[in-house]
Structure formats: structure tokens, C-alpha cells
Amino acid sequence: AGLVFGTYLPPCAWFFCQNRHSLCTYIRHQCPFYLVFRLFFYWLASPNYVAVDALLRGKRLTLAAKRLYDVIFSAAGLLVLSPLFIIIAVLIKLDSPGPVFYTQVRIGKDGVPFKIYKFRKMYDHVGESGPNLTMTNDRRMTGIGYFLRKTKLDELPQAFNVLLGDMAVVGPRPETPNYVNLYTPEQREVLKVRPGITDYASVYFINEGDLLEQAQDPENYYINTIMPEKIKLNLMYLENMSVLTDMRIIVSTFKRIFLSL
């Protein structure tokens, strides 16, 4: 064996090095196994969509538990916080003319559109004009609107969305259709669960308005920098999703809001 390898291996190695381009070209065009190997390594390097589906199937109990506490938390929250809802509604009406609530189309689970509810924080005449992004010192916001956005109290009406089943307490934040249309197939994996009121990205990008305000092109900065990072965090959430993880995210959200005041 030593004689064979010692005699034939060096010349073969030399021949391959001298003709590697031609050999690789031939294999690429003539060998069906090359295609198999290419597909195999592509599969390894690409998002495993089947694995995500399998992951969620393995978390059926977690998803059921999440839905149970979503209903309990949202119903209890609407009941307990009803006095606060009334106070905020009065302040909004006194601050500027227009409705108390604001609705906007977002993309939910499985790519299904739904109307998200928020307390109105902008002047009513603004309507749907202007960018979908909100800066920290956005001139479209009312006086009470600044406070509502800073404290995240404008998000409270989304308890209705949770109760209706459009959203969860914790889950990937829902985006508007124009941004979801830019998702890659991998990024669309986040649409396999209900969107949430808060998530990892909400905690990490608590100062998103400041970041957008500092950017020369806020829209481009959001699409190419912030949004991809948000989706990475949301994909990580899918892997770590549990009731305990949700509790940690909720606590972290309150901490970050308090520290940002």
C-alpha cells in the first residue's frame, strides 16, 4: 500500500493542481453528483425552513400556554386599566381634535393583514401622509402624543388585538405591508407566529426614534440596518420561545421604558 501511494499519489496530485480548473469545469457540467453536493451544501448554508416548522410543532404546548395567558392578561389588563384608558382618552381629546384611537394595517401571522389599535399620538389632519417611521421629535405628534410614545402607553389598546387573536403579548412586532414586501424568504419565517406587543427588538431598539433622527436617510437606514437586526432577534426568539422567555422580555421591556424616561 505504501508503494502504491508513494508511487502514484504525487503524480496524481501534481496533475490535479495543473489541471484543476479544467477538471472542476468538467465535473460541474458532466457529473450529476456535483449537483447533489452543491444542493446539499446550499441546504446546509441556507435557512432550514422545515426545521422552523418542526421547531414550532415541537412547541405546541408552549404556543397553547402563550395563547392562554394572552387571553387572561389582555382581558385582565383591559379591565384593570380601564380607568387609565379613560384618562388617556380625555387627554387626547383635550389636546387636539380627532378620534381617540388610531388604526393601521399591519401584517400578522401567516402574512394575514389586520388592523392594529393604538392611542392616537399624531394630529388627525396628518392622516396617512408622511413616512411610516416615527422620529423622537416628530412634528406630526401632539403634546400628549410625545408622552404616550415615550412611555409606550400608546400601545395599550393592542390588548384588544391580543384578545381578538391578531396578536400576542410577546412576539415579533408587526410591520406595515410595504416593509414586509421587502422580506427575504428567510425573514418571512417570523410570520409563522402571532406578532406581539413587545419582543427582543422592542427592548434592544428602545431608542429607535433617536437612531432614525440621527440618520441622513431614515427610511434607508431602517430598511438596511434596523429592520434586518430586528428580524434576526425575532428569529432568535422563535428558537428560544417559552413562557419563561416571554416573562423575561416583559420585565426587560418595563425596565427599559423606566430607564429611558
Side-chain angles (χ1 to χ4, degrees):
L3 178 62
V4 172
F5 282 103
T7 304
Y8 294 103
L9 187 57
C12 289
W14 176 86
F15 178 81
F16 176 79
C17 291
Q18 295 297 317
N19 300 277
R20 60 186 180 276
H21 179 72
S22 298
L23 285 170
C24 289
T25 302
Y26 175 81
I27 293 172
R28 185 177 295 116
H29 289 93
Q30 302 298 328
C31 183
F33 292 103
Y34 177 81
L35 178 60
V36 174
F37 280 114
R38 281 292 298 271
L39 290 172
F40 175 72
F41 285 111
Y42 178 78
W43 174 79
L44 287 177
S46 301
N48 194 336
Y49 305 121
V50 178
V52 172
D53 289 332
L55 178 70
L56 294 178
R57 282 197 299 270
K59 291 180 177 289
R60 286 175 180 172
L61 288 178
T62 297
L63 292 169
K66 277 172 59 68
R67 183 57 192 154
L68 178 61
Y69 82 70
D70 281 343
V71 172
I72 294 173
F73 279 16
S74 59
L78 289 170
L79 181 63
V80 173
L81 297 176
S82 55
L84 180 59
F85 272 62
I86 294 172
I87 293 172
I88 293 175
V90 171
L91 292 175
I92 290 173
K93 296 297 288 186
L94 291 175
D95 187 59
S96 64
V100 171
F101 297 106
Y102 168 75
T103 62
Q104 187 182 48
V105 175
R106 299 289 178 96
I107 302 300
K109 185 177 181 293
D110 299 324
V112 177
F114 71 97
K115 283 188 176 182
I116 195 172
Y117 296 100
K118 291 187 177 188
F119 281 121
R120 180 175 60 85
K121 60 180 180 285
M122 295 188 179
Y123 290 103
D124 188 44
H125 69 268
V126 171
E128 295 294 334
S129 62
N132 288 327
L133 302 172
T134 306
M135 317 296 173
T136 299
N137 298 302
D138 200 310
R139 295 182 179 180
R140 298 172 296 171
M141 282 196 289
T142 64
I144 187 65
Y146 283 103
F147 174 76
L148 293 177
R149 187 177 189 279
K150 186 73 173 177
T151 57
K152 303 298 182 183
L153 290 174
D154 62 315
E155 312 282 2
L156 287 180
Q158 287 163 42
F160 287 112
N161 290 117
V162 175
L163 195 59
L164 292 171
D166 297 325
M167 295 178 65
V169 175
V170 178
R173 285 295 294 165
E175 290 280 13
T176 52
N178 60 307
Y179 292 129
V180 174
N181 289 337
L182 301 175
Y183 283 9
T184 64
E186 178 188 11
Q187 292 172 333
R188 292 187 69 87
E189 295 293 276
V190 300
L191 301 177
K192 290 186 175 180
V193 295
R194 286 187 178 90
I197 296 176
T198 187
D199 60 358
Y200 282 135
S202 299
V203 176
Y204 188 80
F205 287 104
I206 194 76
N207 63 335
E208 180 182 311
D210 295 329
L211 295 174
L212 293 172
E213 208 161 66
Q214 295 166 11
Q216 292 184 349
D217 185 346
E219 182 81 4
N220 183 65
Y221 182 72
Y222 181 80
I223 292 172
N224 295 301
T225 303
I226 294 180
M227 190 171 75
E229 290 302 316
K230 281 186 172 183
I231 296 173
K232 286 180 183 177
L233 290 170
N234 291 331
L235 290 171
M236 183 178 71
Y237 170 74
L238 294 185
E239 296 180 9
N240 302 319
M241 184 173 58
S242 68
V243 173
L244 182 59
T245 297
D246 285 8
M247 295 302 109
R248 288 171 177 166
I249 291 175
I250 291 171
V251 171
S252 296
T253 300
F254 282 117
K255 283 183 179 179
R256 290 301 302 269
I257 292 173
F258 178 77
L259 293 174
S260 66
L261 295 178

